Amino acid sequence: MDFNMKKLASDAGIFFTRAVQFTEEKFGQAEKTELDAHFENLLARADSTKNWTEKILRQTEVLLQPNPSARVEEFLYEKLDRKVPSRVTNGELLAQYMAEAASELGPTTPYGKTLIKVAEAEKRLGAAERDFIHTASINFLTPLRNFLEGDWKTISKERRLLQNRRLDLDACKARLKKAKAAEAKATCEGDLWNDEVDKAEQELRVAQTEFDRQAEVTRLLLEGISSTHVNHLRCLHEFVESQTTYYAQCYRHMLDLQKQLGSSQGAIFPGTFVGTTEPASPPLSSSSPTTAAATMPVGPSVAGLAPPGEAALRLEEVSPPASGTRKARVLYDYEAADSSELALLADELITVYSLPGMDPDWLIGERGNKKGKVPVTYLELLS
């Protein structure tokens, strides 16, 4: 019990000394040991890394789960070390509603059949979203969270300990300074003040040793932030790869759905021209067998308008057919490869038509007095 009381009294004395030193520093009444510029830069970089990691983590969580209530629920499950229950994605819920609507409104009607097709596509989109959220959480969010809850807590603990060691060091410096000043004024009690000075110098040497040791430990932890950046960079690449895969899957699913709806709409409304010729599904990335690169459709390469062995048609001699011209809305900007092609701007309207023997992937486009070949994949045919 005596030992505990002595330790408690000692700890209280140390705490009081540090508080006095800290207060005097704030009021400019005590000197403060400054850290070197390199150490200060390490501290600033560590603080910046921590702050931006928190922001990126929070916003990524919002991206993966926009519902704040669901995020709070998942947070509570994680803190309780319980498995987060499987949650239906918005796409899967929409697919369920569409399937139920088709069942009630008539699955054999045109509307019901279309609802079923769209529901199947939305279900596949929801499954792709679920896989993306799972992959991103493991490969990106978990490393960021581990840094904040592990490495950063260790760094913060050592920094607080370094701050205490610095306060102890500066308090010892202040006591030594006062002892020397009192020794210089004393005349008859010189031996007494000599002992006080020797004691203060001894305490200062001990405090300086402990401060230097703690500064070195903290410095090594702060320099480890470079390794943290390398690890986060790798995780960021994995996040981009998983996001690329997700959007490529969505792109393919929607292309398939658009083709299905185009063929069914042509059967339902035979008097109307439906859709556009869509490009093939995007190729898989060569860097990863599981990653598909969704790219903008590119116009096919065509040597000319005429079949092989015949002279190429001259555009100035081409006249639009008496019937069969259509209006088309441009989907993307297109830069003409040569003088035979017509440059396009997104959202503009042009007149298009085809000619006998012409490559089906191309049409003749007219805008005012300008005329040229245009790729079908860049157009939405309206009428």
Side-chain angles (χ1 to χ4, degrees), residues 357-379:
M358 189 174 176
D359 191 314
D361 291 330
W362 291 82
L363 294 173
I364 300 297
E366 291 188 0
R367 182 180 59 242
N369 58 354
K370 294 184 178 180
K371 182 187 306 182
K373 298 183 298 180
V374 291
V376 175
T377 52
Y378 280 70
L379 304 175

Side-chain angles (χ1 to χ4, degrees), residues 112-123:
K113 291 180 179 179
T114 303
L115 279 174
I116 292 175
K117 292 180 180 179
V118 177
E120 292 174 351
E122 292 295 337
K123 186 177 181 180

Side-chain angles (χ1 to χ4, degrees), residues 101-116:
S103 177
E104 183 172 339
L105 299 177
T108 59
T109 64
Y111 183 42
K113 291 180 179 179
T114 303
L115 279 174
I116 292 175

Side-chain angles (χ1 to χ4, degrees), residues 56 139-140 144 229-243:
I56 293 173
N139 295 339
F140 190 60
L144 299 186
H229 288 181
V230 173
N231 182 43
H232 288 183
L233 174 62
R234 177 183 58 81
C235 297
L236 184 60
H237 278 283
E238 293 179 354
F239 174 71
V240 172
E241 183 175 350
S242 63
Q243 197 170 30

Side-chain angles (χ1 to χ4, degrees), residues 333-349:
D333 291 347
Y334 178 75
E335 184 176 354
D338 52 47
S339 59
S340 67
E341 296 181 3
L342 181 66
L344 303 175
L345 295 175
D347 295 329
E348 70 172 335
L349 294 177

Side-chain angles (χ1 to χ4, degrees), residues 269-290:
F269 306 108
T272 61
F273 185 86
V274 179
T276 62
T277 303
E278 295 295 341
S281 298
L284 293 177
S285 172
S286 59
S287 61
S288 171
T290 61

